Amino acid sequence: MRLKDKVAVITGGNSGIGLATAAEFAAQGAKVVIFGRDQESLDNAIAEIGNESIAIKGDVTKGDDLERLFKETSEKFGSIDVLFVNAGVVSAAPVDEVDDENFDFISNINFKGAFFTVQKAVSKLNDGASIIFNSSIANRKGMPGMAVYSATKAAVRSLARSFTAELAGRGIRANVLSPGAIETPLWGKTGMSEEQIEEFSNDIGAQIPAGRFGTPGEMAKAALFLASDESSYVVGAELIADGGLTQL
Ligand code: NAP
């Protein structure tokens, strides 16, 4: 019970890495609040997570939704100990095919949404709280078609440093989890065809020293370390969980 009686908020807690982390945190004793746009998957996730967890429907690009998330969380459970800034989208396109709409779509969710998630949460965070940003190895690795996505992930890597600097006086730590290639529904939302996904997956898969994609459960364990007091001296840092992909 490494998060016994802690209150954790997870944006995008209704799918993939966020859902696995919500289940792990709840199993470790946390009261978990998940946030996402799709009511059906929020309902299904709550049934899976258990331990009094609740779902709040909303969009990280909407300030009112984020304010409601943190207001309702503190009314229900009190102040927040762990904030996992996880909601994200990916869309792959060569540089000459990226238009304003596509650029804004990814940036508004992955970067602006992450910034305002923390901004709206700050007054409701306990001193000593842990903020975890879900970035990606894309923040440090050049990949064709991923320029905008990768830049948003570099942006949240930067936010962890800036927020740590601003909030250190309250003992609040901000750290980054950077997953490699993880088996989640995200891969079906890239805008790529089945064949392109398979080619991309095979190409990346062949480069992973661990010899396989990672699982959402493995990311949840890494997030648990950053959420818990076991990482009390890990501050403003990045935990790369990629099966060694960026090491070769
Ligand atoms: P996923 O299964 O597609 O989950 C994405 C989550 O984000 C969903 O719960 C989705 O919920 C939520 N979300 C998206 N847009 C949102 C918005 N505007 N407002 C609120 N919630 C929103 O994908 P995943 O792989 O678990 O991704 C989670 C994070 O891990 C992302 O930040 C992603 O960039 C990062 N990541 C993933 C991989 C990988 O290989 N899978 C690798 C590196 C990093 P709704 O659709 O209901 O809103």
Side-chain angles (χ1 to χ4, degrees):
M1 300 295 266
R2 289 153 68 185
L3 298 178
K4 191 164 166 36
D5 297 330
K6 303 276 189 192
V7 176
V9 174
I10 302 179
T11 64
N14 48 337
S15 181
I17 295 169
L19 174 56
T21 304
E24 178 66 43
F25 284 9
Q28 297 290 339
K31 308 272 187 280
V32 178
V33 180
I34 60 169
F35 182 76
R37 298 164 300 178
D38 178 55
Q39 189 65 55
E40 190 182 347
S41 56
L42 286 168
D43 293 342
N44 292 338
I46 285 302
E48 187 177 330
I49 297 163
N51 197 35
E52 297 177 49
S53 300
I54 61 167
I56 295 174
K57 185 180 176 197
D59 187 328
V60 295
T61 66
K62 296 182 177 157
D64 290 351
D65 286 2
L66 289 169
E67 276 169 20
R68 183 168 44 80
L69 165 64
F70 296 114
K71 182 170 177 288
E72 290 182 15
T73 296
S74 57
E75 282 169 3
K76 172 88 178 165
F77 294 131
S79 303
I80 298 158
D81 301 292
V82 180
L83 174 62
F84 188 24
V85 185
N86 164 75
V89 288
V90 65
S91 173
V95 62
D96 56 344
E97 288 179 19
V98 175
D99 57 18
D100 276 10
E101 191 184 351
N102 181 260
F103 188 99
D104 289 346
F105 169 68
I106 305 174
S107 304
N108 284 342
I109 295 174
N110 292 6
F111 174 35
K112 190 175 172 189
F115 179 93
F116 284 103
T117 296
V118 177
Q119 188 206 58
K120 303 293 186 198
V122 161
S123 65
K124 303 283 196 302
L125 294 177
N126 275 323
D127 288 357
S130 170
I131 301 169
I132 306 157
F133 290 96
N134 200 343
S135 177
S136 166
I137 57 161
N139 84 41
R140 56 180 56 233
K141 193 169 166 62
M143 288 183 279
M146 304 297 278
V148 182
Y149 175 79
S150 300
T152 65
K153 292 301 180 179
V156 301
R157 202 295 161 232
S158 170
L159 288 183
R161 292 193 172 100
S162 301
F163 285 130
T164 289
E166 280 198 34
L167 301 172
R170 292 173 54 196
I172 296 173
R173 304 179 289 126
N175 288 295
V176 174
L177 173 63
S178 284
I182 312 302
E183 285 172 20
T184 74
L186 188 85
W187 289 84
K189 307 173 190 170
T190 53
M192 292 191 282
S193 68
E194 292 272 323
E195 295 74 40
Q196 285 172 316
I197 293 172
E198 194 174 333
E199 193 184 332
F200 191 72
S201 302
N202 289 340
D203 183 42
I204 287 199
Q207 299 173 47
I208 302 173
R212 61 174 176 82
F213 274 36
T215 66
E218 288 173 312
M219 298 307 103
K221 294 284 188 193
L224 174 61
F225 170 68
L226 294 174
S228 74
D229 293 341
E230 289 162 26
S231 59
S232 53
Y233 205 58
V234 180
V235 180
E238 179 177 10
L239 175 53
I240 299 172
D242 69 347
L245 179 56
T246 52
Q247 301 306 316
L248 299 187

